[in-house]
Structure formats: structure tokens, C-alpha cells
Amino acid sequence: MSDLTPSKVLDRVLVLEMVRVTEAAAVAASKLVGRGDEKAADAAAVEAMRKAFDELYMDGTVVIGEGERDEAPMLYIGEKVGGAPGKGPKIDIALDPLEGTTITAKAGPNALAVLAAAEEGCLLNAPDTYMDKLAVGPGYPEDIIDLAKSPTENVKAVAQAKGVDPSDIVVCVLDRDRHADLIAELRGLGCGVVLIGDGDVAGVIAVTDPDTTIDMYMGQGGAPEGVLAAAALRCVGGQFNGRLVFRNEDEKERARKWGIADEDFDKIYKLDELARGDCIFAATGVTDGSLLEGVKRLRGGKMTTESVVMRASSGTVRWIRGEHHKG
């Protein structure tokens, strides 16, 4: 079977139903935008997403979630979700009910409720560690980027393929102290550097949208978010490299627990090693951002949401604007 043959398993879970799940999380989190309480916003999104999953006919397993069972009361790694345990199609779920908790607490841009779904065994069980990430949008020769090479080499390769000077390349980077050398190297090439405070799922996806003018994404962020972003790129095109980063032995032990072998600790994962086969990616905006508008609360209890849902096998991207009269 081709890696992008439509999945009979996923066919039984309506793609649009996944949007209802991210909508529920986004609406719940939106009540706490700007309230300064990250934990409360995340808890609201988690509870709403968990409840929405129960309405879907599937036998789902969370492979990337809120953490291990002793760290998270709901949507923990390994938790079963869906309304048809033992009966429905077996689906692996990667999720982040609120990607950008700090963003939400401070009413900043690009907070999202996101999830990815695939057949059992098709999403990498990434441990909750950091990951070096490198991404570029569609339309380039295969393997145009390589995480084993320097940022300068990668920028020059993309610039050459694009037919422009390296100084014409725009790179998105998470604004963190650990990226000071990376940012200096990119600016030394004359690159434009778009710094984002949080929300690197949206940052990676931005490379697929010409309207953002962002050519590449570079830097270190959460490994679970790397798998979510890879699932999105799997649907719309682009290339992604990821390499796990371990700060201590505890993190390595956690990786072993989720099936990462010692010999793969320095492995550079490509797109189809993070998210294989037919994938679904869904996201709903919590706050306004480059990808989606946030939840708008209007008079009379009405709310509007903006979501996107993608499917790898069809290459379909649907933008959905919802009106909600209860919340």
C-alpha cells in the first residue's frame, strides 16, 4: 500500500469531526485569554477536548499528550479516548489542547488548540524533551535541508534552489536565549529573522504559506510539538528534520520508556519518520495569529471560531469558520 493511500481506518472517522474537538478546546481556553493564569487556561482546554473525544466513534490512544499518567489527570500518554473503546477504529492521537499557554494568559498571538490523528503506530511517540527542528515549505528538491549541516549551509541551499541571495531568506526562530548564536549567524548572512515568543507549531506551519513570507524554521523547541508540526507538513507538503535533545539522564530514560532506542538518541528524523501514512491535522485558533483567527466572543452569547483541517492522502486543506451560540 502506498504511504499516501487513503486509510480505511481513518475513513471511518470523519475528518471534519476532528475540528469539533479542537473547537471545543479553543472555546474553553478563550474564556481565560488575558487572565494571567496559564494552568487554568490549559486545564479548561484539556477538559473540553477530553469530553469532545468521547463523542467520536473510535478507539483512540493518546501517544503525545499532556505528559505521563502521574503528571496529568486527563489526556495523558497512553490514555484511551473515543466513544467506542474496543469497537471503533484504532487511532493514534497526538494533541496539544492549548499550544501556547503563556500566549493565552498574556493575550498574545498564535495560541492554538491542535491535534493530529493517524493509524495505530504511525506517529512517533516523542518524549517530552526538546527537539532541534529544521523545516522548509513545499516546492524544493528532496533533502534540500539537513540538520547535520550548519544553519549557513542550509540557508544557502534553500536560497540557491529558490534563485535568490541568502540575504533574501526569512527564517522563523523561537525567541529564546539558547538561540542567540543561531540568530547572530542568520543575521550575519543578512537573513530576516522572525522571532516568536511561543507557539512553534504555528511557526513551522508558517513555512507552507507564501503569505507569511517565511522560508524556513530553525531552532529548538518541544519534541511533541515537532510531531504535530510534522503531521501538518505531511498533509500540505514541505520538509522537516528533527533531532531529540536530552538535558539529563532522566530525559533519556523517559525516551527509552516510549520506545526510543539508545542508538536513536542522536538520530535525525525526517518527516515520514515522525508522521507516516495517512494523517489528519486539525487546529483551531484561540488567539489571533498568522495561521488562524482566534475565538471571538460577541453579544448575545455568540462566538466565532476559525479552524483548519488537513488530510495527507488527499492533500486537502479546509478552512472552517464556525458560529457557536452556546459557550
Side-chain angles (χ1 to χ4, degrees):
M1 184 177 74
S2 168
D3 203 27
L4 283 178
T5 299
S7 163
K8 292 181 180 179
V9 172
L10 291 184
D11 283 344
R12 297 175 63 187
V13 180
L14 294 177
V15 174
L16 295 179
E17 290 295 314
M18 291 297 177
V19 174
R20 295 188 183 186
V21 177
T22 55
E23 281 180 343
V27 167
S30 72
K31 297 177 183 178
L32 290 146
V33 169
R35 297 328 192 257
D37 193 334
E38 299 178 19
K39 291 183 178 179
D42 188 52
V46 169
E47 184 175 359
M49 181 173 276
R50 182 65 176 82
K51 185 177 180 181
F53 271 130
D54 285 342
E55 298 178 7
L56 299 186
Y57 185 82
M58 68 175 188
D59 181 2
T61 302
V62 176
V63 297
I64 289 178
E66 290 291 283
E68 298 183 39
R69 185 170 188 169
D70 59 352
E71 299 173 347
M74 285 189 290
L75 297 181
Y76 54 83
I77 299 169
E79 183 176 357
K80 303 296 290 186
V81 295
K87 298 178 181 178
K90 292 186 179 297
I91 304 292
D92 279 355
I93 305 288
L95 56 85
D96 194 340
L98 184 55
E99 210 259 330
T101 54
T102 302
I103 290 171
T104 303
K106 296 181 177 180
N110 281 321
L112 301 170
V114 297
L115 68 83
E119 287 188 62
E120 191 175 24
C122 287
L123 297 175
L124 181 73
N125 287 42
D128 189 13
T129 64
Y130 281 123
M131 175 183 278
D132 288 324
K133 304 174 188 179
L134 177 61
V136 71
Y140 291 99
E142 188 175 356
D143 296 328
I144 188 71
I145 55 173
D146 185 351
L147 202 49
K149 296 180 179 178
S150 70
T152 295
E153 290 173 306
N154 280 294
V155 167
K156 287 183 176 179
V158 170
Q160 182 177 8
K162 192 177 179 181
V164 300
D165 291 330
S167 60
D168 293 321
I169 298 297
V170 177
V171 185
C172 182
V173 179
L174 201 58
D175 190 5
R176 296 289 187 273
D177 290 344
R178 62 180 177 268
H179 291 147
D181 290 344
L182 169 62
I183 293 166
E185 183 174 347
L186 293 172
R187 286 179 173 160
L189 290 169
C191 294
V193 179
V194 176
L195 296 175
I196 56 173
D198 280 293
D200 68 342
V201 171
V204 173
I205 297 172
V207 303
T208 69
D209 184 357
D211 289 341
T212 68
T213 73
I214 293 171
D215 298 293
M216 306 177 72
Y217 182 93
M218 291 186 184
Q220 203 176 89
E225 289 83 359
V227 176
L228 282 162
L233 291 186
R234 182 85 180 142
C235 295
V236 296
Q239 298 178 44
F240 185 94
N241 282 192
R243 179 174 53 212
L244 298 173
V245 177
F246 301 102
R247 294 170 294 181
N248 52 53
E249 189 58 35
D250 286 345
E251 291 187 348
K252 290 182 178 180
E253 189 56 40
R254 178 173 291 190
R256 294 184 186 104
K257 180 178 179 179
W258 300 118
I260 306 295
D262 285 28
E263 57 266 28
D264 289 335
F265 282 178
D266 294 319
K267 176 184 171 120
I268 295 174
Y269 291 90
K270 295 187 178 181
L271 191 62
D272 58 1
E273 294 174 302
L274 296 167
R276 295 188 291 109
D278 192 7
C279 301
I280 296 170
F281 175 87
T284 301
V286 177
T287 61
D288 288 347
S290 58
L291 182 66
L292 295 164
E293 289 187 4
V295 177
K296 300 291 187 294
R297 292 180 171 269
L298 309 175
R299 291 182 178 179
K302 177 182 174 181
M303 290 175 292
T304 62
T305 57
E306 188 175 40
S307 305
V308 62
V309 60
M310 313 171 183
R311 187 170 185 186
S313 63
S314 62
T316 305
V317 179
R318 290 184 173 91
W319 301 89
I320 300 167
R321 184 174 174 83
E323 291 189 0
H324 310 262
H325 296 275
K326 293 181 180 180

